[in-house]
Amino acid sequence: MNSNSNCLLRFISILLLMLSIGSCAEKKSEEKKSSDPLAEKKEEVKKTPPNILWIYVEDISPDLGAYGDPLANTPQLDAMAKQGVRFTNTIMPSPVCSPSRSAMITGVMSTTIGTHNHHSSRTEASAIRLPDTITTIPELFKKAGYYTFNSGKDDYNFWYNRKDLYNEAYYQHPLYGKSAKRNYWNEGIKNKPFFGQIQLSGSKHIFSKTFKEKVITPIDRSKVVIPPYYPDVPLVREEWAQYLETLELTDMEVKKILDQLKADGLLENTVVFFFSDHGMRSLRHKQFLYEGGIKVPFIVQWEGNPDLIKPGTVNDKLISGLDIGATSLALAGIKQPNYMEGKNLFAADHKARPYVISTRDRCDFTIDRIRSVRTERFKYIKNFYPNRSYMQPNYRDEWESTQLLRKLYAEGKLNELQSRIFKDNRPEEELYDLVLDPNEINNLASNVEYQNELKKHRDILNNWIKKTDDKGQYPEDKENLKYMLGIWDEQAVNEEYTAIRKEFPDLAGSLKDKKSAKFELVE
């Protein structure tokens, strides 16, 4: 055989070998694909519009095991944090239900659109209507072909047709507003992606007659750590222990929801958001702009897209609760309207906010106006009614713990720090270093070393008020105040009610029955 023949044979042998290797590799690749249906499913999930589910909890702070509380029994939420992203600096728009929820569902601060006073628009005469330029987040999802539902309460301070927002029958109450029966998804979601909300009671579980029966792991009362601004007395210790026990019940509810998603084959393609409307219900927390009132737990999980929602991620950036709506729209591929104030938390170029504003105005019959500026390190609070006590008459005066604390204050048994919320006056400005003073007890507003920080934060707030035309600076509509006076009677003591009492002498207390009325079904 000549040299040319030998070369040809060698070439053919190498070619056959390469073809054989390629065939084997291709076969192995096909075998790998067919033996990994989960990988195929996840690729399919990425091409399908995801479901968006908000697990929306009432009145809890970041006191879960995943956030470092050693007493909280929250294994499901702790696991969710490991499987998703846990945000550690989530600041809500308001420390009370309806203004916070009104902002969250529109993507706009409630003070910008006039929905900042608690329990507004409960009658057509007192109705606050959204501008034509504002479309709620559920309506945006509907327009994009999503099925929408809200299992539980709405509590929005604007006038609306609920069927424009959600595909379900609902109940209506003259004070507490509209809500749907507490269930999960239904047949309506079969052929559509869904945007849903499931409302959980959170720390309000303690009002249930069966609360104690449901607790599986009772909290050791002796191990509860009481914040320094509360007296360490048995009743306060008991309330804090019960609050931690409500987190266990919340955790069990979350497990039930996630298990149902999995059983229905929906979990992989559902982005689950877990968060609270504001902080826990104690006196210095809910309704006030300290961290206890506006900082909440927030976890996002999406099993079908671990490349985007990376398991075990901890995000310490300062964010606003308004970012939840913006992120939900972005993940669904829905364009965010220009008027919305939120940011997509999973955008490649996302950055921490330089500050977050929170607001508190009238809560039921109690008229107040407080604003806060939260930056990475500092909290600035502006009290627009410094001559009114923090604890001016309010609906929590009916609580046993409130009555005990007022009694201890009257008897001089509270120290200076514990007495502050009961004093007749409060400072016009407050400034706290959250790193050195996480309990926000050392007001630096008058400290000469912090005057630059004080001015910086004051200027941020003043510019924000002007830029957004903060509606809290204007007198409230008479019709909403009339409704509060009619329901709450002698408890409505603020001077803003004086003229209304004179103009309508028979109004006070004439609507008391509205508070105890039954919810009525609206088909």
Side-chain angles (χ1 to χ4, degrees), residues 178-247:
K178 302 170 184 177
S179 63
K181 184 178 180 181
R182 290 180 184 271
N183 54 23
Y184 299 157
W185 39 94
N186 57 32
E187 293 296 312
I189 70 167
K190 279 194 171 180
N191 301 314
K192 291 183 175 183
F194 68 79
F195 167 64
Q197 301 167 64
I198 298 177
Q199 310 294 332
L200 301 182
S201 297
S203 67
K204 290 183 178 178
H205 270 299
I206 65 166
F207 298 123
S208 169
K209 294 179 181 178
T210 60
F211 164 63
K212 292 184 179 179
E213 301 168 17
K214 294 178 181 177
V215 175
I216 295 175
T217 311
I219 297 293
D220 184 342
R221 273 55 179 162
S222 68
K223 294 182 179 179
V224 173
V225 177
I226 305 300
Y229 41 79
Y230 292 123
D232 189 355
V233 295
L235 181 58
V236 172
R237 184 168 285 275
E238 177 65 22
E239 283 209 347
W240 273 81
Q242 288 184 359
Y243 159 62
L244 292 174
E245 289 168 347
T246 67
L247 300 180

Side-chain angles (χ1 to χ4, degrees), residues 74-332:
T74 53
Q76 180 61 63
L77 288 165
D78 300 346
M80 187 177 171
K82 290 179 181 177
Q83 293 164 4
V85 179
R86 176 171 63 89
F87 294 84
T88 64
N89 260 319
T90 306
I91 307 300
M92 296 304 281
S94 177
V96 69
C97 305
S98 65
S100 181
R101 290 169 179 271
S102 298
M104 294 290 290
I105 212 63
T106 58
V108 181
M109 288 293 288
S110 58
T111 48
T112 302
I113 53 178
T115 58
H116 51 292
N117 289 307
H118 188 39
H119 288 160
S120 295
S121 297
R122 304 299 147 135
T123 66
E124 191 160 9
S126 63
I128 298 165
R129 290 177 167 81
L130 293 178
D132 293 338
T133 54
I134 302 289
T135 303
T136 66
I137 288 174
E139 290 174 288
L140 291 171
F141 272 98
K142 263 194 169 186
K143 288 179 180 178
Y146 273 68
Y147 182 90
T148 63
F149 67 88
N150 181 24
S151 173
K153 78 176 190 179
D154 298 347
D155 213 4
Y156 308 147
N157 290 332
F158 52 86
W159 194 256
Y160 63 106
N161 180 346
R162 196 179 194 273
K163 292 183 180 180
D164 290 340
L165 280 67
Y166 305 115
N167 298 85
E168 58 196 347
Y170 62 94
Y171 296 87
Q172 185 155 356
H173 188 277
L175 179 59
Y176 303 119
K178 302 170 184 177
S179 63
K181 184 178 180 181
R182 290 180 184 271
N183 54 23
Y184 299 157
W185 39 94
N186 57 32
E187 293 296 312
I189 70 167
K190 279 194 171 180
N191 301 314
K192 291 183 175 183
F194 68 79
F195 167 64
Q197 301 167 64
I198 298 177
Q199 310 294 332
L200 301 182
S201 297
S203 67
K204 290 183 178 178
H205 270 299
I206 65 166
F207 298 123
S208 169
K209 294 179 181 178
T210 60
F211 164 63
K212 292 184 179 179
E213 301 168 17
K214 294 178 181 177
V215 175
I216 295 175
T217 311
I219 297 293
D220 184 342
R221 273 55 179 162
S222 68
K223 294 182 179 179
V224 173
V225 177
I226 305 300
Y229 41 79
Y230 292 123
D232 189 355
V233 295
L235 181 58
V236 172
R237 184 168 285 275
E238 177 65 22
E239 283 209 347
W240 273 81
Q242 288 184 359
Y243 159 62
L244 292 174
E245 289 168 347
T246 67
L247 300 180
E248 178 183 61
L249 302 190
T250 299
D251 188 78
M252 291 189 287
E253 290 170 331
V254 172
K255 183 179 189 306
K256 185 177 179 180
I257 293 168
L258 296 182
D259 286 350
Q260 190 64 56
L261 281 170
K262 188 172 184 178
D264 291 345
L266 297 169
L267 184 59
E268 276 189 37
N269 200 34
T270 300
V271 190
V272 182
F273 293 74
F274 173 90
F275 60 93
S276 180
D277 54 359
H278 51 73
M280 62 94 74
R281 53 183 287 275
S282 286
L283 299 187
R284 195 180 182 264
H285 292 229
K286 183 175 180 177
Q287 296 195 359
F288 291 101
L289 300 180
Y290 302 109
E291 296 288 272
I294 56 177
K295 189 174 184 179
V296 300
F298 175 34
I299 302 170
V300 182
Q301 171 187 313
W302 186 2
E303 285 201 0
N305 197 343
D307 294 335
L308 182 63
I309 312 296
K310 291 180 170 55
T313 301
V314 178
N315 188 320
D316 296 321
K317 294 177 183 176
L318 179 63
I319 67 171
S320 165
L322 296 179
D323 298 332
I324 294 173
T327 303
S328 299
L329 291 171
L331 294 177

Side-chain angles (χ1 to χ4, degrees), residues 360-513:
R360 182 260 163 97
D361 293 272
R362 176 178 57 74
C363 289
D364 285 313
F365 56 88
T366 309
I367 298 176
D368 209 334
R369 185 182 175 216
I370 315 173
R371 301 289 179 265
S372 68
V373 178
R374 169 67 149 82
T375 54
E376 183 178 3
R377 178 160 186 161
F378 291 92
K379 165 77 66 58
Y380 170 77
I381 296 175
K382 169 75 172 183
N383 293 300
F384 287 86
Y385 292 106
N387 294 326
R388 296 182 184 182
S389 171
Y390 291 107
M391 283 300 294
Q392 56 179 315
N394 68 90
Y395 81 96
R396 293 183 288 185
D397 288 338
E398 301 171 359
W399 295 359
E400 183 182 2
S401 57
T402 307
Q403 293 170 6
L404 172 63
L405 293 177
R406 285 195 184 281
K407 180 175 181 291
L408 293 175
Y409 173 69
E411 294 173 350
K413 295 180 180 179
L414 299 181
N415 63 32
E416 189 278 330
L417 173 59
Q418 296 158 1
S419 298
R420 287 180 191 173
I421 61 171
F422 296 107
K423 291 182 177 180
D424 293 335
N425 303 303
R426 51 180 137 158
E428 184 174 340
E429 294 181 298
E430 301 175 56
L431 181 69
Y432 300 100
D433 184 330
L434 300 175
V435 174
L436 301 178
D437 180 24
N439 286 311
E440 297 168 283
I441 58 180
N442 299 312
N443 185 5
L444 302 171
S446 60
N447 189 319
V448 294
E449 295 180 12
Y450 289 87
Q451 291 309 295
N452 288 338
E453 286 294 343
L454 180 67
K455 183 180 184 304
K456 169 188 168 182
H457 288 73
R458 181 193 296 142
D459 289 347
I460 290 173
L461 180 61
N462 289 338
N463 290 334
W464 178 86
I465 289 173
K466 184 177 181 180
K467 180 180 178 181
T468 65
D469 191 27
D470 177 359
K471 301 301 186 292
Q473 63 190 307
Y474 307 116
E476 185 176 3
D477 173 76
K478 183 193 293 185
E479 291 299 325
N480 277 302
L481 291 178
K482 283 171 61 179
Y483 200 59
M484 291 298 106
L485 180 60
I487 291 175
W488 296 99
D489 196 8
E490 72 280 350
Q491 291 174 279
V493 300
N494 293 121
E495 62 186 39
E496 288 84 351
Y497 294 107
T498 303
I500 298 175
R501 287 180 183 276
K502 290 180 179 178
E503 187 176 352
F504 304 96
D506 299 324
L507 175 61
S510 64
L511 303 176
K512 275 187 176 181
D513 60 312

Side-chain angles (χ1 to χ4, degrees), residues 7-57:
C7 288
L8 179 62
L9 285 173
R10 280 198 295 271
F11 174 76
I12 292 172
S13 298
I14 292 169
L15 181 62
L16 289 173
L17 180 62
M18 290 176 67
L19 289 171
S20 174
I21 292 171
S23 175
C24 291
E26 186 177 348
K27 185 175 180 182
K28 286 181 180 178
S29 176
E30 288 175 357
E31 288 175 355
K32 186 176 181 181
K33 283 181 181 178
S34 62
S35 64
D36 191 5
L38 183 58
E40 289 182 351
K41 179 66 176 174
K42 287 183 177 179
E43 286 302 313
E44 179 186 329
V45 158
K46 291 178 184 178
K47 299 173 184 177
T48 307
N51 305 309
I52 306 293
L53 180 63
W54 291 4
I55 301 179
Y56 209 153
V57 191

